[in-house]
Amino acid sequence: MKIAIWGSELTAWVTAAALAQTGNDVCFVSNSQIKDPITLMGRSIRNEPGLRDLVLDGFENKRIRLAQTRTALGIQAHVLSMNPSEFERAYALVEQLASKAEGPLLVINQSHFGVGATDRLQALLDRRKKQVAVYFAENISEGEALERIRNPKSLILGSDDEAATLTLQALFKPFSTQLEHLFVMSPREAEFTKLSIIGMLALRIGYINELANLGEQLGVDIDVIRRGMGADPRIGRHHLAPGCGFGGNTFPQTLDSLAQLLSEKNESTLMQTLLQQNEKQKELPFRKLWRHYRADLHDRKIAIWGASFKPGSASLDAAPSLRVIDAIVAQQAEVRVHDPEASENVHHVYRDNPSVKTISGKYDALKNVDALVLLTEWPEYWSPDFELMLKQMKSPVIVDGRNIFDRAQVESLGFTYYGIGK
């Protein structure tokens, strides 16, 4: 199938690469003057595991090519992979497609525009000419995006047109080898389902963080509590790891969309409160460090392990590290950052700030520092050489924003340890 991909998000590139790999002819629409696809992808996207090579393979085999808008308008199948803030652009595009097309047209919306967005796009199209807009609730997560799109456990398709549904199912059949659930519902129901899933995940994260903060005041270890909670089959263990808040690109934006919808329709502040509390949670590692040094971080050196908003990603979008780094620098302290993937992005953000240094080795980042703050649970941080850490650090203080270390162990070695909820 010949397909035009619209958007510059990670979902656009992952969808283009995956569809091209299964034999489709993909036109990636870009009116940028940049013609090199790797440069066009941007830092965060091209660092997605496996994506760069798959995209290059698609271009080399001519399964993916860059196309201008005027060329792409003549294609019958279109995938909208845009940022949640770009609905007006999507609306104008579909309006343009409808004015050009004389025959069938399939618009696959996989953007988080909110409930009812696909229906609004459908209103621009002529069903009598077999022009249909459908919704695909993608389940892409940064750091494992290719795996998620190529081997999904479930698919949610929003379509009220039988022929379009069959086309969608055929398009995604190569990715159905591990499929456990396929749900076909109306576009509005599918959009609301996607919002509901994201909202539930955020609620679990927010709830366990609130419990962790309360448990710390009550003198209980949140790890013990969450294991007991997770053993209950009605609850389970997923998304019950306390930490210093969530980040990312579309996740917070989608939650904000849900918050607005709840506020408008039900006068509910549930999601707004959750988002506000999450922003406070991002600052928690700094507050622990600030209290340890009795509100005096002036001229101290602080190491940070992990800057990306999650392991497996180089993205700094809404990452807790940005809040922590900014707060430490505001106290006139120096920050030494190590991250296995995001160092380039950290340097780009703080290139004009001499107080923020990116360090290539995780142990080198600890030289003569007054504390280590861990913010991203990369695998290489889980079992470090603690003896070497003690030799490198000026003061053996650890603020563990992801609770990856065992408190009893590190304290027995001579560290001062602060976790989340312990």
Side-chain angles (χ1 to χ4, degrees):
M1 181 182 291
K2 193 169 187 178
I3 305 169
I5 308 284
W6 303 79
S8 57
E9 299 293 297
L10 174 62
T11 53
W13 287 101
V14 170
T15 301
L19 292 178
Q21 188 183 33
T22 54
N24 295 286
D25 181 7
V26 176
C27 291
F28 195 94
V29 186
S30 172
N31 293 319
S32 171
Q33 297 301 311
I34 300 173
K35 300 305 178 185
D36 173 41
I38 299 304
T39 303
L40 196 62
M41 289 170 76
R43 289 184 181 87
S44 297
I45 295 175
R46 66 171 175 260
N47 287 338
E48 181 69 23
L51 183 57
R52 178 190 178 107
D53 291 341
L54 196 59
V55 168
L56 283 175
D57 184 67
F59 276 94
E60 289 173 3
N61 293 323
K62 302 188 185 305
R63 289 293 187 186
I64 307 177
R65 59 188 175 89
L66 296 178
Q68 297 285 312
T69 296
R70 61 179 178 275
T71 302
L73 289 176
I75 297 173
Q76 288 188 359
H78 301 262
V79 176
L80 309 184
S81 297
M82 300 177 181
N83 188 276
S85 64
E86 295 184 283
F87 179 72
E88 295 307 319
R89 178 192 168 204
Y91 190 88
L93 168 61
V94 174
E95 198 170 34
Q96 195 173 8
L97 288 170
S99 68
K100 296 285 185 181
E102 293 297 327
L105 196 63
L106 177 63
V107 176
I108 304 171
N109 173 29
Q110 64 173 26
S111 310
H112 304 313
F113 292 142
V115 180
T118 304
D119 287 345
R120 290 180 62 187
L121 299 179
Q122 178 63 62
L124 300 171
L125 303 173
D126 190 342
R127 284 189 182 273
R128 293 171 299 179
K129 296 179 181 179
K130 298 183 179 179
Q131 297 176 354
V132 181
V134 297
Y135 179 73
F136 169 50
E138 52 81 14
N139 190 30
I140 289 173
S141 177
E142 290 187 50
E144 49 186 348
L146 282 175
E147 175 65 19
R148 287 291 189 92
I149 197 168
R150 293 189 294 192
N151 297 296
K153 297 295 184 183
S154 65
L155 284 178
I156 298 173
L157 308 179
S159 173
D160 51 15
D161 183 275
E162 185 176 354
T165 301
L166 292 174
T167 299
L168 270 179
Q169 290 175 319
L171 188 63
F172 290 101
K173 186 176 181 179
F175 313 126
S176 302
T177 57
Q178 298 183 32
L179 193 66
E180 298 175 0
H181 304 286
L182 172 64
F183 301 100
V184 180
M185 56 190 76
S186 72
R188 183 177 291 262
E189 289 168 335
E191 289 164 340
F192 189 54
T193 300
K194 178 64 179 180
L195 271 182
S196 301
I197 291 171
I198 292 177
M200 178 58 74
L201 296 179
L203 283 168
R204 288 177 69 98
I205 296 170
Y207 182 57
I208 197 63
N209 283 339
E210 286 294 295
L211 290 181
N213 298 338
L214 177 60
E216 189 170 328
Q217 297 179 52
L218 297 176
V220 298
D221 188 335
I222 192 60
D223 281 346
V224 176
I225 307 306
R226 72 186 186 91
R227 285 197 295 269
M229 292 172 62
D232 189 317
R234 296 170 299 176
I235 297 174
R237 298 180 179 178
H238 66 89
H239 288 79
L240 281 184
C244 51
F246 56 77
N249 186 351
T250 58
F251 192 78
Q253 290 186 68
T254 305
L255 286 173
D256 186 61
S257 175
L258 179 57
Q260 292 181 38
L261 191 62
L262 284 168
S263 177
E264 292 170 4
K265 300 296 183 180
N266 288 351
E267 297 184 357
S268 170
T269 60
L270 177 63
M271 281 297 157
Q272 290 175 345
T273 301
L274 185 148
L275 287 168
Q276 291 167 0
Q277 290 302 114
N278 184 62
E279 291 304 304
K280 291 182 181 179
Q281 193 73 10
K282 292 178 183 180
E283 298 176 351
L284 187 57
F286 166 75
R287 293 199 299 270
K288 288 177 178 287
L289 182 68
W290 189 74
R291 285 196 296 267
H292 174 83
Y293 281 110
R294 300 180 182 180
D296 183 13
L297 294 177
H298 182 74
D299 284 341
R300 296 191 182 277
K301 292 182 179 180
I302 309 299
I304 287 181
W305 278 4
S308 60
F309 82 92
K310 63 177 287 188
S313 171
S315 173
L316 300 178
D317 290 325
S321 63
L322 299 179
R323 298 291 290 271
V324 174
I325 292 172
D326 289 345
I328 294 173
V329 170
Q331 299 293 312
Q332 297 179 311
E334 178 185 304
V335 181
R336 299 165 59 84
V337 183
H338 175 269
D339 188 288
E341 295 291 343
S343 290
E344 183 182 358
N345 291 332
V346 173
H347 176 72
H348 179 73
V349 172
Y350 293 100
R351 61 186 179 277
D352 297 326
N353 193 326
S355 295
V356 180
K357 297 177 170 61
T358 54
I359 311 297
S360 58
K362 64 182 179 183
Y363 297 116
D364 291 334
L366 301 180
K367 288 181 180 178
N368 296 316
V369 300
D370 295 282
L372 164 64
V373 181
L374 189 144
L375 299 175
T376 312
E377 65 275 33
W378 285 96
E380 69 179 76
Y381 298 147
W382 283 75
S383 298
D385 185 336
F386 289 112
E387 290 187 4
L388 179 56
M389 292 171 64
L390 285 169
K391 292 177 181 178
Q392 294 285 76
M393 299 174 71
K394 179 181 177 182
S395 300
V397 177
I398 296 176
V399 179
D400 184 357
R402 297 299 176 183
N403 285 358
I404 71 171
F405 298 140
D406 182 88
R407 178 173 189 163
Q409 180 196 15
V410 296
E411 288 185 340
S412 71
L413 293 172
F415 289 93
T416 299
Y417 178 83
Y418 300 97
I420 305 296
K422 55 168 70 176

